[in-house]
Amino acid sequence: MTRTFADLHLRINPKDQHVTQRLIGKAARLGYHYISVPFTSGLQETEVATLKTTCAQAGLDYVLRADYKPRTQEDLMRFLRKFRRKFEVICIICDTKEVARQAAKDRRVDLLNFPSLDYHKRFFDRAEAELASCSLAALEVDLKPLLVLEGPPRVRLLSSLRREVAIALEFHVPIVVSTGVSEEFLMRMPRDLANIAYLFGLGEAQALDTVSANPVGIVLRNREKLSSRFI
């Protein structure tokens, strides 16, 4: 089966056009079809246009994504009301349990991201998964920490990820694996990401879905919703 691959979290500084072109070019050579560079401080039209053009020249489809770390539930709701229809993918950085719970049950949220390396601050538990299973939110796993950590910290993070992925599978919450990298030497082929995801306890097809069917499905679903044809 021919698969279409996506990395929805490349951390590129669009202002550095030389590095941007190099990383986007490498993403194309590695076999990706969709990539996304998250905006965290507002939508810059000129930067978006440059990214789209650079991606198109490399044969890639650029996905417009926003990352946001709300301070409170109210902060999250204000952000979603203002920006949901301006972005193709919305990722909420969950730093508190309050925000995580609200984000998990809101159908306007696409990705739930838990960046903390501290086990006690990773809030994807059974209650979180049950809420997410009733919405459209997916669990995003950034692989950069696994690529750069060594020794006990890496072992502890891998243990947390195995637990979270097992919970996501139990509640049928989609899993999206992204790189989360900004350095060219840390970029990996899609199937390499799937191989790492295999360490979380996923089967081969499930691991491949985390870098293909699951992220691509989110993009296509939201593009349909944002189109003028959607009712």
Side-chain angles (χ1 to χ4, degrees):
M1 181 178 68
T2 301
R3 286 182 177 266
T4 300
F5 294 107
D7 184 354
L8 295 186
H9 198 191
L10 269 180
R11 300 181 65 84
I12 299 174
N13 178 6
K15 294 182 172 62
D16 191 334
Q17 295 189 19
H18 177 67
V19 173
T20 296
Q21 290 175 352
R22 201 168 67 237
L23 267 63
I24 288 175
K26 182 164 185 178
R29 293 192 299 275
L30 289 175
Y32 291 97
H33 302 85
Y34 295 85
I35 66 166
S36 185
V37 178
F39 282 81
T40 57
S41 57
L43 185 60
Q44 304 295 326
E45 298 290 349
T46 55
E47 293 177 357
V48 171
T50 299
L51 285 168
K52 285 184 176 180
T53 299
T54 305
C55 285
Q57 291 171 345
L60 293 172
D61 191 326
Y62 174 70
V63 179
L64 189 58
R65 163 177 169 156
D67 282 15
Y68 191 62
K69 184 164 72 173
R71 298 180 301 276
T72 63
Q73 291 186 32
E74 293 73 21
D75 188 21
L76 169 63
M77 302 303 286
R78 283 193 297 270
F79 172 81
L80 292 172
R81 283 194 297 270
K82 184 175 181 180
F83 289 107
R84 172 65 271 190
R85 294 198 59 80
K86 294 183 179 181
F87 289 91
E88 294 170 320
V89 173
I90 295 284
C91 176
I92 299 302
I93 311 300
C94 301
D95 239 10
T96 68
K97 183 176 288 190
E98 174 194 15
V99 165
R101 294 292 193 260
Q102 183 62 41
K105 64 185 179 182
D106 197 309
R107 294 176 67 87
R108 294 170 294 180
V109 175
D110 299 309
L111 299 173
L112 303 169
N113 191 299
F114 299 85
S116 178
L117 301 180
D118 183 346
Y119 171 85
H120 300 288
K121 294 183 178 180
R122 299 184 65 88
F123 302 110
F124 193 83
D125 52 21
R126 294 176 63 86
E128 180 82 1
E130 185 172 8
L131 291 171
S133 70
C134 299
S135 67
L136 297 174
L139 172 65
E140 181 178 50
V141 177
D142 281 335
L143 292 189
K144 180 178 179 178
L146 287 178
L147 298 176
V148 300
L149 290 173
E150 297 179 349
R154 178 191 278 180
V155 173
R156 286 194 294 269
L157 176 59
L158 184 57
S159 176
S160 292
L161 290 174
R162 287 180 64 88
R163 176 185 61 83
E164 291 165 10
V165 166
I167 292 172
L169 291 176
E170 180 183 352
F171 286 88
H172 305 289
V173 176
I175 301 160
V176 171
V177 169
S178 305
T179 60
V181 304
S182 55
E183 301 89 353
E184 188 176 355
F185 76 95
L186 289 174
M187 295 177 70
R188 297 291 187 270
M189 296 177 64
R191 291 184 183 274
D192 290 338
L193 299 190
N195 287 338
I196 297 175
Y198 187 74
L199 298 175
F200 305 154
L202 296 170
E204 181 181 357
Q206 291 172 318
L208 284 169
D209 283 346
T210 66
V211 292
S212 57
N214 295 349
V216 172
I218 291 171
V219 173
L220 297 182
R221 178 185 74 217
N222 285 339
R223 285 184 173 174
E224 177 66 21
K225 287 182 178 181
L226 293 172
S227 74
S228 58
R229 302 186 305 273
F230 185 76
I231 300 176

